[in-house]
Amino acid sequence: MRLGILCGGGPAPGMNSVISAATIEARNSGWDVLGIMDGFQHLIEGRVEEARPLSITDVSRIHVLGGSILRTSRANPTVRDEGAADPDWRLHACLESLRKLGIDALVTIGGDDTAFSASRLAEVAGGALRVAHVPKTIDNDLPLPGGTPTFGYETARSVGVELVNNLMTDAMTTQRWYLVVAMGRSAGHLALGIGKSAGATLTMIAEEFPPDEPVRLSRLVDILETAMLKRIAHGRPFGVAVLAEGIGLRLPQEELRKAMPEVELDEHGHVRLAEFELDRLLAKEVKERFKERGQKITVEGKNIGYELRCAPPIPFDIEYTRDLGYSAVDYLKQIVKGNEPGGMITIQGGHMVALPFGSFTDPETGRVRIRLVNVESSSYRVAREYMIRLDREDLEDPEKLRPIAAASGLTPEDCRERYGYLAAGN
């Protein structure tokens, strides 16, 4: 038997640990192992020479390292070319490359897009290839059973907390504000996890807004501005706000296009949020608000996405990913002579459970379902309790409203009229 291993999508702490565990178990089982460089990219192009043999010696200590020794890419083999004689030529090219490499079984490491690509490969292969997918994303947005985190999330949160703690100290020392944008295209788990654990002044995630309505830029600015006014009223004119990057995708189209006139998409059709600079946009808008009142405030934007993705994994993620890598090969050994094309590897109650491809698929969209932050949960309620945000009590208690209104340059009545809508749901 010959096993192939590849990584797709963005990096996540623990990828090397999966590669290591899978390679060691496969080699100990008498299998050959090939590491496939750069995700699906070279398989699509037919460049089979880019694959490299992996031995136990090659991977024996990489489990403590960040990044991926196989690198990664977002090359998408499921893109259809409707104008070609074979619209699915990318998938067929991948399978032909794997055939030339003599690969009988494949471990894919990636998020929802890589999971979809893996499932399509197994489907089109028609039994000639067995695939085990190991789900990873620092966004923690795959709906794993029992609320289990996706690997890489806990490390990314830990590193993010350290960075935000440092920024909190700098904010206090220099009497300024930082607006920190954390990764989370579809869900706010990482931003909330960082903000809550670090004790950030406030955290904003897309899930807190009505799902069927766009989120106006002016509303985001109002939330930040009133938090700052409340801090000024408390004699503490500084702080750190953490925001999930996915909020940017909830802006009305006209505002999104204005902010990103030359929007760029990746190979999976997603807006490249790293180029959106939501932090800088909001910092500019907030400063303008204070400038209009003749007040000066220092607000700095900071995006901490890339600093988290290739960090060395913490012990939680090392242990977790070693279980996943071993289990992926153990599962392939079980199905290699059967009719099962493959599945997604999960750890439930300390046991490996392989879920069929499609387990996480939304039947309406055909794409992987997203695990959102439950804003009705006790955990989220606790997070909100410790944020500095304008709430109903601030508006109803004259003693609390008076200094906030004074900081805004408005009368208490005008302040309540202007910003009262923010506390309507609290």
Side-chain angles (χ1 to χ4, degrees):
M1 291 294 298
R2 176 170 285 183
L3 174 71
I5 304 174
L6 67 79
C7 303
M15 295 172 79
N16 276 330
S17 183
V18 176
I19 295 167
S20 173
T23 298
I24 292 170
E25 174 57 17
R27 284 289 187 177
N28 284 339
S29 301
W31 292 14
D32 291 333
V33 181
L34 286 179
I36 299 170
M37 305 301 293
D38 303 307
F40 292 104
Q41 180 178 327
H42 303 305
L43 297 180
I44 294 172
E45 298 169 355
R47 299 175 62 188
V48 295
E49 67 276 7
E50 296 295 335
R52 52 176 282 196
L54 292 178
S55 67
I56 291 178
T57 302
D58 293 327
V59 302
S60 65
R61 297 300 301 168
I62 66 171
H63 62 279
V64 298
L65 304 177
S68 166
I69 64 166
L70 301 180
R71 303 195 295 264
T72 185
S73 80
R74 296 189 183 276
N76 182 4
T78 67
V79 173
R80 288 177 58 82
D81 187 351
E82 300 297 345
D86 176 11
D88 291 319
W89 67 266
R90 289 178 176 84
L91 278 173
H92 294 134
C94 279
L95 290 174
E96 178 60 19
S97 295
L98 292 170
R99 186 192 66 78
K100 288 180 179 178
L101 291 169
I103 289 175
D104 309 286
L106 182 68
V107 170
T108 57
I109 306 166
D112 54 345
D113 291 321
T114 306
F116 181 70
S117 297
S119 67
R120 289 285 289 129
L121 269 180
E123 177 186 348
V124 175
L129 179 72
R130 301 290 185 261
V131 183
H133 179 70
V134 178
K136 66 98 185 117
T137 171
I138 65 172
D139 294 351
N140 197 31
D141 59 0
L142 294 178
L144 300 183
T148 305
T150 52
F151 87 74
Y153 165 74
E154 293 291 357
T155 298
R157 177 171 66 162
S158 179
V159 176
V161 167
E162 183 177 356
L163 292 172
V164 170
N165 280 337
N166 291 342
L167 291 174
M168 287 287 291
T169 301
D170 188 273
M172 184 185 305
T173 303
T174 60
Q175 301 286 281
R176 67 177 61 190
W177 277 83
Y178 286 99
L179 305 186
V180 178
V181 172
M183 286 186 168
R185 169 182 296 277
S186 303
H189 296 283
L190 184 59
L192 187 66
I194 291 172
K196 185 178 180 182
S197 300
T201 313
L202 74 155
T203 303
M204 276 198 288
I205 59 175
E207 290 93 326
E208 68 185 75
F209 303 103
D212 54 348
E213 300 175 11
V215 180
R216 290 282 173 186
L217 180 62
S218 59
R219 182 171 184 175
L220 300 178
V221 178
D222 283 349
I223 293 172
L224 293 170
E225 181 189 16
T226 52
M228 294 174 181
L229 293 172
K230 191 170 176 178
R231 290 280 285 180
I232 292 171
H234 292 168
R236 297 169 66 81
F238 57 86
V240 175
V242 180
L243 304 97
E245 66 175 356
I247 293 177
L249 297 179
R250 294 287 304 279
L251 294 175
Q253 282 299 308
E254 64 272 17
E255 293 186 358
L256 185 61
R257 291 292 176 180
K258 184 178 179 181
M260 299 183 69
E262 297 181 1
V263 61
E264 185 176 342
L265 305 180
D266 65 20
E267 289 203 30
H268 293 274
H270 302 316
V271 172
R272 295 180 61 85
L273 285 171
E275 299 175 11
F276 179 35
E277 297 187 335
L278 178 64
D279 52 330
R280 298 181 184 276
L281 174 63
L282 288 172
K284 175 179 176 294
E285 294 290 327
V286 169
K287 285 189 284 190
E288 285 295 323
R289 292 280 185 90
F290 280 85
K291 185 178 179 181
E292 290 170 1
R293 289 195 293 265
Q295 300 171 323
K296 184 178 180 181
I297 187 171
T298 302
V299 186
E300 302 289 348
K302 177 69 176 173
N303 189 308
I304 61 171
Y306 293 116
E307 293 89 337
L308 314 181
R309 304 192 306 173
C310 284
I314 61 174
F316 175 92
D317 275 323
I318 292 177
E319 179 182 4
Y320 184 17
T321 48
R322 298 200 91 175
D323 288 348
L324 288 168
Y326 172 91
S327 296
V329 175
D330 187 51
Y331 167 66
L332 290 170
K333 286 158 59 179
Q334 295 174 32
I335 69 166
V336 74
K337 294 183 179 179
N339 296 319
E340 192 172 338
M344 198 171 317
I345 307 302
T346 65
I347 305 296
Q348 302 179 38
H351 299 282
M352 185 275 286
V353 178
L355 302 177
F357 284 125
S359 299
F360 301 160
T361 302
D362 185 329
E364 293 184 5
T365 64
R367 305 300 293 181
V368 174
R369 288 182 286 110
I370 298 300
R371 175 167 62 190
L372 301 174
V373 172
N374 180 6
V375 294
E376 302 298 326
S377 67
S378 297
S379 179
Y380 181 74
R381 186 171 69 250
V382 170
R384 284 295 292 257
E385 286 292 328
Y386 289 96
M387 295 182 198
I388 302 298
R389 296 174 74 146
L390 189 71
D391 56 35
R392 184 177 299 169
E393 189 175 347
D394 293 322
L395 301 173
E396 294 176 349
D397 185 337
E399 294 302 314
K400 292 186 174 183
L401 179 58
R402 191 176 297 111
I404 298 173
S408 70
L410 300 172
T411 66
E413 293 74 18
D414 289 342
C415 185
R416 185 185 295 111
E417 177 69 22
R418 169 68 178 82
Y419 298 110
Y421 81 99
L422 295 176
N426 297 338

